Amino acid sequence: MVDPSDTNRRVLLAAPRGYCAGVDRAVIAVERALEQYGAPIYVRHEIVHNKYVVQMLEQKGAVFVDETSEVPRGEIVIFSAHGVAPEVHREAERGGLATVDATCPLVTKVHKEAVRFAKDDYEILLIGHEGHEEVVGTSGEAPDHITLVDGPEAAEQVEVKDPSRVVWLSQTTLSVDETMETVGALKRRFPLLNDPPSDDICYATQNRQTAIKQVAAEADLVLVVGSRNSSNSARMVEVALGAGAKAAYLVDNADEIDEAWLADVTTVGLSSGASVPEVLVDGVVEWLAERGFGQVEVVQPMREHIQFSLPKELRRDLRAEAAARRVEANV
C-alpha cells in the first residue's frame, strides 16, 4: 500500500483535454436557442455523448428525443454534433419543423467527401463502429456506395466490386492507431485503395490521444473522465493501456472512482474526453487531493486554438419560421 505520508504522489494532468471546438459549438447552440426562443427546444439524440451535459441542458429546458417524428409540428429541433443523414433533414421538413444543424464541421467534411466520392462512382470503405450516430449519418449520405469496416478483423472480410475504384473514410472519434491498422489491412488486400484528401480523425481526438500516451508512459493509474457511450473517451482508455499504463478506467465523475485503485499508486494520469466539461475534471482533482495526490503537473505536448462559429440558423427568427412551417405542413 502507498504510505499516506508519501509526498511524492502526484497527478499528471493531460492537456489538451475536455471540450473540443465541435462540442463547445453544439452545447452553446442549444443554450443560445433556449435563450433566444425559450423552452422547449428539442434535440434529436444526445447533443454530445456526456451524461452531465445532457442533464444540465434538460434542466434548462432542452427535450431530447430519439427520432424527429417525436417533435411536435411547429417546434424547433437541433441536430446533434454527430451529424444526421439527409433523410432526417427531409423528415424534419415534412414534419413542419424549424431546424438547427449543430453537426461538427469536421463531421460535415466527411459527409461531403462521401458525397463527392459516391458521385465519382467510388466504393467507400467507412472505418467506424456499427450503430454509432456519426457512422449512421455518414452512411446515409451515400448508402449505395458505403460499406462499413468495423476494425482490422472486418477489413479481412470486406469485398469490393472494383479494387481500382475504392477509397476509405473514417469516423472522426476513433483511435488513431487502430484506424491506421485497419487502413493497413485494407491496403494489403486492395493496393490501389485511395486515401481521403485529408486525415479524417479529428484534431481533438488526435491531440487527446497524443497527450494521454505521454501521461500513461509515466503513470501507475490513468483515469479518463467521460461517459461510456462516448467513443473518443473509451478510445482514450485503450490508448492509455497501450502506451504503458498499468491500469486505466473510464469514469463519469469522481463518485465512480474506486479508492482501491489507488493501492500502490504514486502517479495518477488524468484526462477527459472531448465532450466533457472541465468541472468534472476539477472534481476528480479535488477527490485525489483529499487522498494525498495534491501535486498536479500539467503535461501539454501541444496547444489548441481552433474555434467554430455557431450554426447560421441561430441568426434567424426560428419561432416564426417554425410557425410558418407548421402552417405549410398542415395545408
Side-chain angles (χ1 to χ4, degrees):
M1 296 291 290
V2 174
D3 182 352
S5 63
D6 185 0
T7 58
N8 293 321
R9 283 179 287 177
R10 59 180 180 156
V11 176
L12 298 181
L13 186 59
R17 64 181 177 277
Y19 272 12
C20 64
V23 164
D24 194 43
R25 172 182 185 266
V27 173
I28 292 175
V30 178
E31 292 175 331
R32 187 69 57 83
L34 286 165
E35 292 171 3
Q36 290 182 199
Y37 309 113
I41 294 293
Y42 292 85
V43 184
R44 186 183 183 275
H45 293 170
E46 294 185 352
I47 188 69
V48 296
H49 286 157
N50 184 264
K51 185 189 303 184
Y52 175 92
V53 172
V54 169
Q55 292 174 347
M56 178 262 295
L57 292 174
E58 283 178 331
Q59 291 171 2
K60 293 183 177 182
V63 178
F64 292 88
V65 297
D66 291 327
E67 300 299 337
T68 311
S69 58
E70 299 174 48
V71 182
R73 287 181 180 275
E75 290 292 345
I76 299 169
V77 63
I78 298 180
F79 298 137
S80 79
H82 309 103
V84 297
E87 177 57 27
V88 175
H89 287 276
R90 291 190 287 268
E91 289 174 358
E93 187 172 350
R94 290 193 297 268
L97 306 177
T99 61
V100 177
D101 190 354
T103 302
C104 173
L106 300 180
V107 175
T108 299
K109 177 181 74 70
V110 178
H111 282 212
K112 290 180 177 178
E113 289 172 354
V115 171
R116 181 170 66 84
F117 282 116
K119 185 177 180 181
D120 292 339
D121 203 28
Y122 275 84
E123 193 164 352
I124 302 165
L125 302 181
L126 177 61
I127 301 171
H129 296 308
E130 186 172 4
H132 189 277
E133 291 159 32
E134 184 183 331
V135 167
V136 172
T138 302
S139 298
E141 294 287 355
D144 296 334
H145 288 79
I146 290 179
T147 299
L148 179 64
V149 182
D150 196 342
E153 292 183 4
E156 303 297 340
Q157 308 299 323
V158 69
E159 299 293 338
V160 300
K161 292 176 289 186
D162 183 356
S164 68
R165 294 191 67 77
V166 62
V167 63
W168 69 270
L169 300 176
S170 78
Q171 180 182 331
T172 64
T173 55
L174 299 178
S175 158
V176 178
D177 294 338
E178 182 182 346
T179 298
M180 296 320 297
E181 184 182 350
T182 304
V183 171
L186 289 172
K187 286 192 171 182
R188 284 191 293 274
R189 297 195 60 213
F190 312 115
L192 298 180
L193 178 71
N194 286 272
D195 296 322
S198 59
D199 189 356
D200 283 344
I201 302 296
C202 92
Y203 78 93
T205 297
Q206 293 184 49
N207 290 350
R208 280 149 189 73
Q209 290 179 14
T210 297
I212 203 68
K213 283 180 181 179
Q214 192 166 324
V215 164
E218 300 183 52
D220 304 306
L221 166 70
V222 169
L223 299 175
V224 176
V225 183
S227 293
R228 282 159 182 75
N229 63 337
S230 167
S231 176
N232 78 87
S233 299
R235 298 293 82 73
M236 287 174 67
V237 173
E238 297 171 1
V239 169
L241 291 170
K246 297 173 184 175
Y249 299 97
L250 181 65
V251 296
D252 256 306
N253 51 53
D255 294 339
E256 295 189 354
I257 303 173
D258 186 341
E259 199 158 352
W261 297 345
L262 299 179
D264 301 317
V265 168
T266 57
T267 300
V268 177
L270 177 61
S271 189
S272 58
S275 53
V276 177
E278 189 66 6
V279 63
L280 298 181
V281 177
D282 292 342
V284 173
V285 171
E286 292 173 8
W287 188 93
L288 290 169
E290 290 169 358
R291 288 153 182 83
F293 291 82
Q295 180 183 342
V296 178
E297 302 174 20
V298 176
V299 178
Q300 186 164 20
M302 78 286 293
R303 296 183 182 275
E304 290 179 352
H305 304 286
I306 294 177
Q307 291 182 316
F308 296 134
S309 59
L310 289 176
K312 62 183 183 300
E313 296 92 341
L314 292 174
R315 295 192 291 269
R316 303 202 300 258
D317 185 347
L318 288 180
R319 283 295 180 203
E321 185 176 315
R325 284 178 178 261
R326 180 174 60 237
V327 171
E328 292 174 2
N330 290 330
V331 171

